[in-house]
Amino acid sequence: MKPETRTQEPAGQQLRQWRERRRLSQLQLALEVEMSTRHLSFVETGRAQPSRDLIIRLADYLDIPLRARNQILLAAGLAPEFEETGLSAPEMAEALAAVEHLLKAHEPFPALAVDRHWNMVAANGALALLTEQIAPHLLVPPVNVLRLALHPDGLAPQIVNYEQWRSYILHRLDRDIELTADSGLAALREELAAYPGSANDNTPAGRAPIALPLTIDTVAGRLSFMTTVTIFGTPRDITLSELALETFFPADAHTMQVLRSLAEAEA
């Protein structure tokens, strides 16, 4: 299903699209939020105007992103529920300091923070080992970490299991697009899919592997990592809700030893 732009669409139509995206019938959703199917149908078709409380209840159950919730509220003639604070704003200083602390604490292993489109917001010093051989034009802000991974001038020539990693990233993007309906992510996926690689994925549609090692040839030799992505719990700010930390962990004893030795040599 392609992502849709909802800013100009009626609130009920947006809610219907999110219900369909979550593959729920009107009856299923109505039962879960304790309303009548008739009322839900009237809301979706515009015959009834949804209240703020109803929109919030539906959005909570449908797990609608905060950005999209504000769009629905505005379309219903209501004030938005969530603030969106720029990363450079003074109010974000405390949150960014916490991010920097977490990234630093993860050393000597690489870690970085990204926004909703996988643009790098911050990184620790250990990430330099992975970006040392990347073409300079890919490191000009905003730096997109998925583009770094799959671009022919990026990490792609160094990734030993490139086809598997490419498939993993594309499937992960598919899932993110399904969850968020973000047109920016859809455009990014289209760009990445056009980079050199197999046209066929070995992973069944919609089923990316739970974990996949990233095996990469670096200036320090061949290293292998497992990655995890962490998000902030229940933030009230849109920017914070879309911020994620990607951390790299050694997938074998050799990688752990190399990274620790490099850190000791630099100390």
Side-chain angles (χ1 to χ4, degrees):
M1 184 183 299
K2 292 184 177 180
E4 299 139 343
T5 302
R6 299 181 175 79
T7 307
Q8 304 300 325
E9 295 172 344
Q13 186 174 341
Q14 294 184 47
L15 289 168
R16 175 181 60 78
Q17 290 169 350
W18 280 106
R19 174 181 61 77
E20 292 174 345
R21 182 172 291 277
R22 301 301 186 239
R23 297 179 175 84
L24 293 171
S25 67
Q26 285 187 339
L27 177 60
Q28 288 173 311
L29 180 57
L31 288 174
E32 291 293 342
V33 299
E34 299 180 343
M35 66 183 296
S36 71
T37 306
R38 178 184 175 87
H39 187 196
L40 177 58
S41 176
F42 277 19
V43 166
E44 290 187 352
T45 58
R47 296 177 66 184
Q49 186 74 353
S51 66
R52 173 179 293 272
D53 176 69
L54 178 58
I55 290 175
I56 292 173
R57 281 162 52 203
L58 291 169
D60 283 344
Y61 186 79
L62 294 171
D63 193 24
I64 298 175
L66 304 191
R67 182 179 299 275
R69 297 186 191 202
N70 273 359
Q71 292 179 353
I72 296 171
L73 288 166
L74 287 170
L78 302 168
E81 181 79 5
F82 304 97
E83 297 288 336
E84 182 177 5
T85 309
L87 287 172
S88 60
E91 301 93 315
M92 293 294 288
E94 184 177 352
L96 289 178
V99 169
E100 295 283 359
H101 175 75
L102 291 172
L103 297 179
K104 182 67 177 178
H106 193 67
E107 292 179 350
F109 311 134
L112 52 94
V114 296
D115 65 15
R116 66 188 175 117
H117 293 145
W118 290 89
N119 294 317
M120 191 186 306
V121 173
N124 66 11
L127 189 70
L129 178 64
L130 302 183
T131 61
E132 193 166 348
Q133 301 177 77
I134 287 177
H137 71 88
L138 291 175
L139 298 175
V140 176
V143 177
N144 187 277
V145 299
L146 299 188
R147 185 178 293 117
L148 285 185
L150 299 187
H151 196 284
D153 294 335
L155 284 174
Q158 302 168 235
I159 298 176
V160 177
N161 56 336
Y162 173 77
E163 291 295 344
Q164 288 177 295
W165 192 250
R166 176 179 180 273
S167 176
Y168 176 71
I169 287 179
L170 293 179
H171 278 83
R172 184 163 65 179
L173 271 176
D174 285 338
R175 181 177 181 276
D176 288 347
I177 293 166
E178 184 68 19
L179 289 173
T180 66
D182 191 296
S183 59
L185 287 178
L188 177 62
R189 192 211 185 278
E190 184 176 354
E191 174 191 337
L192 300 183
Y195 293 162
S198 173
N200 299 314
D201 292 330
N202 295 324
T203 308
R207 293 183 58 191
I210 296 175
L212 178 70
L214 170 63
T215 304
I216 182 170
D217 288 328
T218 72
V219 292
R222 181 164 294 184
L223 303 177
S224 185
F225 297 93
M226 302 293 289
T227 68
T228 64
V229 176
T230 305
I231 60 174
F232 287 91
T234 62
R236 296 288 299 175
D237 187 274
I238 292 175
T239 302
L240 281 180
S241 75
E242 296 171 344
L243 202 61
L245 303 182
E246 182 165 28
T247 49
F248 294 73
F249 293 88
D252 54 40
H254 168 72
T255 300
M256 180 177 292
Q257 182 58 45
V258 168
L259 293 175
R260 286 180 171 170
S261 296
L262 289 173
E264 291 172 2
E266 293 176 1

